[in-house]
Each structure stands twice: as structure tokens, then as C-alpha cells.
Amino acid sequence: MNWEYESPRKAYGETLIALGKEREDIVVMDADLSTSTKTAMFGKEFPDRFFNVGLQEQNMMGIAAGLARSGKTVFASSFAVFATGRAYDQVRQSIAYPKLNVNIVATHGGVTVGEDGASHQMIEDLGLMSGLPNMRVIAPLDSNEVRRVIRFVAKEHGPFYVRLTRTALPNLTSEDDEFEFGKGRLMRDGADATIIALGIEVSYSLLAAEILKKEGYDIRVINMSTIKPIDKDIIVKAAKDTGAIMTVEDHNIYNGLGSRVAEVLVENYPVRMHRHGMKDRFGRSGKWNVLLEHYGMDDKGIAKEMLAFLKEVKK
Amino acid sequence: MSSIDPEKVKELKRIANDLRVWSIKMIYRAQSGHPGGALSAADILAVLYFHEMRVDPKNPEWPDRDRFVLSKGHASAAYYAALAMRGFFPEEDLLTFRDVNSYLQGHPSLMVPGVDMCTGSLGQGLSAGIGMALAGKMDKRDYRVYVLLGDGEIEEGNVWEAAMTAATRKLDNLVAIVDRNKIQLDDFTDRMVELDPLEEKWRGFGWRVISINGHDVTQIIRALDEAKKTKGRPTVIIAHTVKGKGVSYMENTAKYHGKPPQNEEEYERALKELEEERRKI
């Protein structure tokens, strides 16, 4: 496909600068990863509103809470593994419980972190954050959507978790598209089965649908940027229309997109479904695209998984 | 050193005594709560809310108010009593402490008027205090931020992250007070984790350190004055206290860290002893 690739992290940094120019109350924090998360871009522009606290993710979340309690709109960034894992209790007690204006924007979500290996590949964050009352969870599918999502969470009251990936993503939406919070997006229509995907896996799912088309299957692809609250209607409609649903995510198949979709289906319109992603295993080092291939999460792997699933469904 | 009005000292002592009485009443009625650390912190809370801090009970969210974070959130009974006596909410509500229909949650929550930060999971309050102090400097507001920590609490690593950062940022509008009652839930602190030399630790982290008797209101007032005069770094007041202060059978034991008086007799005895204390003021 003729896609234009763009770094979601850079889009984040640029949007922070734009917001910083518009609003005095925007404050940005980081924990010694600002050149990677791109919050350094904001820091350079607004040194007085940028707090890089060093290697103190827990302290960062607590300080973010104190700033928010004093009227600031805070963006706190780190890698997903540290922002949600290392600082989970601080996020729970000091941000989610008091419902403060802290937007946790974590980069490096999923196994596509690559060479750094399992210690840095966060595949549990969507579950950790979705389990918190008051917390809303978004994983934008491309850099254009990153810009819209960052603007959205900046104007909404209360905490958000926004998950970004390390790698560049193809822009599947245009610059003037709108972000609909809590709404899935139909990326490709189809009648035989549905893939519901997240983040980086959306483009691979679209490519997989092309492969499956050659096999004679007409596959619907839905992007589910908002994990919480999840779009019940689009899931139930897909179940009714296509009768089989597969989820694909760069995340553990437990507690992420697959689990959320399963909850909706079981409670509303049970059809056969299959969860694809990291199957309850830690990742390993390797180039991000090689890893996707390794775990069957690239286009060919997704197509193969879907074919096996369809075979099972038709028995 | 400027002299402190003896009548003011007496009044603060009476208020601290009231906070202790309320704590015992609240915890006994709820049959749940943490008397030991509430009683040890009562004098500090009395001085903060009835002498030191600039607050307006009619406008609890006043942007220029001084902030207080009870990082040792389990001392909530004494804290709520201080807020109620200061006029943030009716005193009679104190006797709904920990009830399902009450806003007076077991640990400080933003549901409670006057509470600046929810706490309960130990080790996080100083970080929140840093955020408030940074915001104050950014907004050029002259409010001050006070954070009360337990000595057991400072075993948490997050406290020392915060200690380093507060000094790095030269937050002279931030004051930490350590309620050094030497006992935590399970045992004496020095049998769990060696905290001493505590003063040297904080000094090494870049703080101004003042050690006082945390039950002497005059010393508390003077230490807070000293903190105000300290520029370019944060101040920590190590308040040496007695766990369970004022109720003989609760003093210097871990037993009443998180347990109410065990029966009517213990309850009456606690109130009687506190009444006797009051008469001596």
C-alpha cells in the first residue's frame, strides 16, 4: 500500500508545543526519557513548564498529581512499562482516585519496542490502566490521530492513559479527520468475519484482509483506538453482520483489547471469537518488524491466524 | 527569639487535647481506625491549623491557601477533627467517620472539605507536596506547603525520590514534618529498618533539618518560623513524639497502631486520662 509513515512520538511532541503556546496551564513531565518520548521538544520551548525529574517515575506521578491539584493540566510521559508498571500505585492512589487532570502519555508500548527486549516491551499496560476507575484509555492508530487525541485529552477533565508505539506508523486517517472518543472506526467493510485491531496492528490487519481477499474471504476491519470506554455498538454490529470476530493487538491477549471485546460479546451477542496478539508470553529482542513476523502479528501472520480461525468456526 | 503568647500556647494545647479526644471518640464509635499515630500527631496538627496555616474554611479551594498533605493518611481521625474544629465542616459529622454513608473516608479523600490531597498508600504525599510547591512558584503565589510523614512511612523509597527532587528544585516553600514516634504497624521502627541517623540522612539529601519535641507547641511554632526564614532549600522538622501520646496504655506500643480501644473500660479510661491532661494545661 502507498502509505505515508510518520513518527507518533514526534506528532506528540509537536502537539504539546502547539498546546503550550495556546494554554498557560499545560505542564509537561518526564523521567529521563524526554529525548525518546519527545517531551524534550516541549521542554526546549517552555523550560519553565517542563519538569524532567530524572529516574523517578513514582515521584513523577505524585508530583503530577500535586501540580494538577493546583490547577495545571499535566502531561506525564515515560515508556509504557515504567509509566504504568513502575508507577502503578502512584497512578492509582494519587491520580485515578482523586480524578486529577493528569494525562499519562506513554511511548514504547508493546513488543514493537524491539531490540531492548522483554524488560522494555510493555504488554500489560492496557489491562493495568483499564482496570482503574476514572481512567480512560486510548491507543491512537496513527500520527494524525495522535494529534487529535492529545488535543482531546488536554481539554477533557480527569485522567487519561494514551499509549503510543515506538515505531513510525502509516497515516491511515487524514489530518482533518475527527477523533470520536469511545467510538471504533470502520476501516474496511466485509461480511465473512471481522478483525478488531489496535494501534500498529490496524495497518497490518488491513494488509491481512487483502491477503484473505485472495483466499476468497471478505474481511471487515475495525480500529478500536478507545479501549475504555469501548464502543459496544460497533462490536455488536460486527458480530451480527459477520458472525466471527478476531482481535489483534500488540499486547498480551489477557486484559487488553481481546478481553474487552470478549466482555462485550458475551454480555450482548455471543459469537465465536479469537484473540490474537502476545499469547501470555514475554517478548524478546529483535527488530520490531521481525518480531511481529516472529509472533505472527504481521500481515501474513494475521492472515494465517484468521484462516485457522475461520476453519474452526465453519466446522 | 520573639516570645510566644502563653495564652496562645495554652489554647493550642487545649486544641491538641480536643483532637485526641475526638480521635478516640471517632475511632471507638467506628470500631476501626488508627489511634496511635493520630495521638502522636495531634500537637503538630493543632499548631498547623490553629496557628501556622493560612486557610479559609468558607473557601476551602482558595488558590492562595497554604496546603497540607497528611502523607501518613492513617492519622485521618485527628486530621478530620482539626478540619471540623477549624470550621470546614460540622463537628457532629466526625461521628460518622468510616461509615458507608459518610464523606469521612477511612483515609483522607478529596470528598472531605479542606483536604488538599488524598492519601493512604504510604510514601506518596511528599511528591504531591512538591507538585503544589512547584505550582506555587510557577504562579508566583506565596502559599506554603506542609507535608506530615510518618517515620515508618519513610521506609518507602518514593519518599527519598521526593526528598532528592525537592532539594534539587530548591523548594523553600515546602516543609516536611516527620512524626518520629518510633513505632510502625508491626514493631519498633529500628527493629524493622534502621532509620537513624535520621537527621543526617535528610541533611545529606540537601534539606534544612530541625529536630524538636513534637509535643511541645512552642517548639513546633519556632521550628515552623525557622522553616519560613530558610531560603533556597526545603526544611524538614523531625518531630520526636510518643506513639499513642496521652493515653497511657496506648503509649509506646505497636498494639494500638490500627486498633480502637478494646472495650468500654479502655474507652472510658482513655477519655478520663485525656480529661486529666486537659486540667493540667
Side-chain angles (χ1 to χ4, degrees):
Chain A
M1 298 237 181
N2 202 13
W3 285 328
E4 187 197 322
Y5 284 72
E6 191 187 355
S7 161
R9 291 182 279 149
K10 196 158 157 279
Y12 171 47
E14 287 166 0
T15 312
L16 283 180
I17 291 174
L19 281 168
K21 282 178 183 158
E22 292 162 25
R23 284 171 51 179
E24 282 287 319
D25 65 313
I26 301 282
V27 170
V28 178
M29 300 192 73
D30 207 299
D32 196 38
L33 291 168
S34 68
T35 48
S36 291
T37 64
K38 303 299 175 197
T39 59
M41 294 165 69
F42 180 93
K44 208 175 155 198
E45 203 81 19
F46 306 100
D48 297 340
R49 287 192 265 152
F50 178 64
F51 302 104
N52 189 340
V53 295
L55 283 168
Q56 304 189 329
E57 294 81 7
Q58 302 173 32
N59 189 32
M60 171 172 76
M61 293 305 177
I63 295 174
L67 285 163
R69 187 70 179 95
S70 312
K72 305 298 175 193
T73 296
V74 186
F75 283 84
S77 286
S78 179
F79 289 179
V81 70
F82 309 125
T84 68
R86 184 58 172 257
Y88 178 77
D89 191 51
Q90 282 73 11
V91 173
R92 180 186 190 274
Q93 311 281 356
S94 293
I95 294 172
Y97 175 42
K99 209 174 179 180
L100 293 174
N101 256 341
V102 179
N103 302 305
I104 301 161
V105 181
T107 65
H108 294 63
V111 76
T112 45
V113 163
E115 294 87 338
D116 278 349
S119 61
H120 285 54
Q121 293 163 344
M122 188 44 155
I123 55 169
E124 315 98 75
D125 53 332
L126 298 176
L128 282 172
M129 294 297 105
S130 296
L132 288 171
N134 293 339
M135 186 64 79
R136 291 151 295 176
V137 181
I138 307 172
L141 90 157
D142 66 15
S143 300
N144 282 331
E145 194 171 74
V146 168
R147 294 188 184 87
R148 295 189 287 272
V149 166
I150 296 305
R151 286 193 163 277
F152 174 77
V153 300
K155 73 174 167 49
E156 290 293 308
H157 180 81
F160 282 90
Y161 176 63
V162 181
R163 183 205 220 209
L164 306 183
T165 40
R166 178 188 166 211
T167 59
L169 296 173
N171 272 322
L172 304 176
T173 64
S174 68
E175 273 176 55
D176 44 2
D177 260 316
E178 277 180 29
F179 171 68
E180 282 191 273
F181 176 62
K183 291 283 173 211
R185 179 193 278 257
L186 184 68
M187 304 300 291
R188 175 196 173 109
D189 208 356
D192 295 334
T194 302
I195 295 176
I196 302 179
L198 179 95
I200 192 168
E201 291 297 322
V202 178
S203 60
Y204 283 100
S205 297
L206 287 169
L207 293 171
E210 284 298 315
I211 298 171
L212 290 160
K213 191 177 164 191
K214 286 173 197 142
E215 300 283 336
Y217 292 105
D218 183 21
I219 304 296
R220 181 178 297 189
V221 178
I222 290 168
N223 163 53
M224 198 65 84
S225 297
T226 313
I227 315 298
K228 186 189 170 192
I230 202 159
D231 185 348
K232 185 177 117 184
D233 295 342
I234 203 167
I235 298 171
V236 170
K237 185 168 188 312
K240 286 179 179 167
D241 291 351
T242 70
I245 291 179
M246 182 167 101
T247 52
V248 187
E249 59 194 310
D250 183 6
H251 188 272
N252 197 348
I253 57 165
Y254 293 124
N255 298 328
L257 174 67
S259 297
R260 296 288 99 80
V261 170
E263 287 162 13
V264 171
L265 287 176
V266 169
E267 286 182 352
N268 296 281
Y269 197 85
V271 295
R272 285 294 301 271
M273 84 164 279
H274 178 69
R275 289 168 299 151
H276 189 37
M278 289 301 283
K279 291 177 177 165
D280 203 27
R281 66 202 290 196
F282 285 106
R284 57 184 300 128
S285 291
K287 287 239 174 300
W288 66 271
N289 51 339
V290 177
L291 286 172
L292 286 182
E293 195 186 326
H294 180 80
Y295 294 111
M297 288 154 62
D298 63 345
D299 48 350
K300 290 189 190 77
I302 295 167
K304 197 176 151 199
E305 194 90 4
M306 179 56 107
L307 281 174
F309 173 49
L310 286 170
K311 211 186 240 177
E312 186 71 23
V313 169
K314 290 193 169 167
K315 260 182 198 165
Chain B
M1 205 176 281
S2 60
S3 64
I4 298 162
D5 177 6
E7 279 311 308
K8 180 78 191 175
V9 170
K10 274 188 191 173
E11 185 202 330
L12 290 170
K13 283 182 173 175
R14 275 193 292 269
I15 290 167
N17 183 271
D18 287 338
L19 299 183
R20 291 191 169 94
V21 170
W22 269 122
S23 298
I24 293 295
K25 285 183 176 170
M26 291 162 70
I27 291 167
Y28 187 67
R29 194 210 61 86
Q31 282 296 299
S32 160
H34 300 78
L39 296 178
S40 66
D43 304 284
I44 298 161
L45 287 164
V47 174
L48 283 173
Y49 273 95
F50 292 85
H51 174 75
E52 177 72 9
M53 283 172 57
R54 183 174 73 194
V55 291
D56 179 3
K58 288 192 191 69
N59 186 9
E61 295 290 312
W62 178 35
D64 286 315
R65 74 191 183 280
D66 287 338
R67 268 71 168 173
F68 174 70
V69 179
L70 183 69
S71 196
K72 48 171 286 184
H74 51 281
S76 50
Y79 180 27
Y80 292 164
L83 289 172
M85 286 180 64
R86 191 70 178 74
F88 282 92
F89 51 85
E91 286 184 33
E92 58 260 34
D93 288 3
L94 291 171
L95 293 179
T96 65
F97 178 53
R98 293 192 161 221
D99 276 1
V100 69
N101 292 320
S102 176
Y103 55 94
L104 297 177
Q105 299 297 295
H107 291 83
S109 137
L110 296 193
M111 281 180 239
V112 183
V115 167
D116 290 315
M117 188 60 200
C118 59
T119 50
S121 178
L122 294 172
Q124 301 186 23
L126 191 54
S127 299
I130 291 173
M132 294 170 187
L134 284 171
K137 294 218 176 226
M138 283 169 80
D139 296 344
K140 304 204 166 28
R141 295 185 190 275
D142 67 350
Y143 65 74
R144 296 177 64 72
V145 182
Y146 301 91
V147 180
L148 180 58
L149 299 140
D151 55 354
E153 174 181 17
I154 64 174
E155 291 165 8
E156 293 278 4
N158 189 165
V159 172
W160 299 99
E161 291 185 2
M164 278 189 274
T165 288
T168 304
R169 304 270 168 185
K170 302 182 171 37
L171 295 177
D172 48 19
N173 52 350
L174 176 70
V175 178
I177 305 165
V178 178
D179 181 2
R180 182 77 173 108
N181 61 33
K182 297 167 196 69
I183 295 170
Q184 57 197 99
L185 189 145
D186 271 340
D187 208 335
F188 287 87
T189 53
D190 62 2
R191 288 193 205 159
M192 309 287 283
V193 172
E194 185 54 81
L195 298 174
D196 284 324
L198 192 54
E199 280 82 358
E200 283 175 43
K201 283 196 174 87
W202 285 92
R203 211 169 280 127
F205 276 70
W207 290 59
R208 164 90 195 274
V209 183
I210 304 171
S211 280
I212 58 163
N213 171 352
H215 298 306
D216 182 331
V217 298
T218 306
Q219 287 192 34
I220 301 169
I221 291 170
R222 292 225 158 97
L224 291 167
D225 281 348
E226 278 302 304
K228 234 176 249 171
K229 288 182 209 145
T230 306
K231 298 295 170 200
R233 57 187 166 147
T235 297
V236 59
I237 298 167
I238 310 289
H240 292 272
T241 60
V242 174
K243 187 117 176 174
K245 174 75 176 175
V247 177
S248 59
Y249 64 88
M250 289 185 176
E251 287 188 359
N252 282 314
T253 171
K255 190 180 166 196
Y256 290 92
H257 170 89
K259 245 189 236 166
Q262 294 299 288
N263 49 49
E264 196 67 23
E265 193 193 326
E266 277 194 12
Y267 176 61
E268 293 300 338
R269 192 171 146 207
L271 293 182
K272 189 164 160 269
E273 287 183 12
L274 289 169
E275 178 55 36
E276 280 164 13
E277 270 309 303
R278 191 185 181 80
R279 269 192 240 118
K280 286 187 217 152
I281 295 168

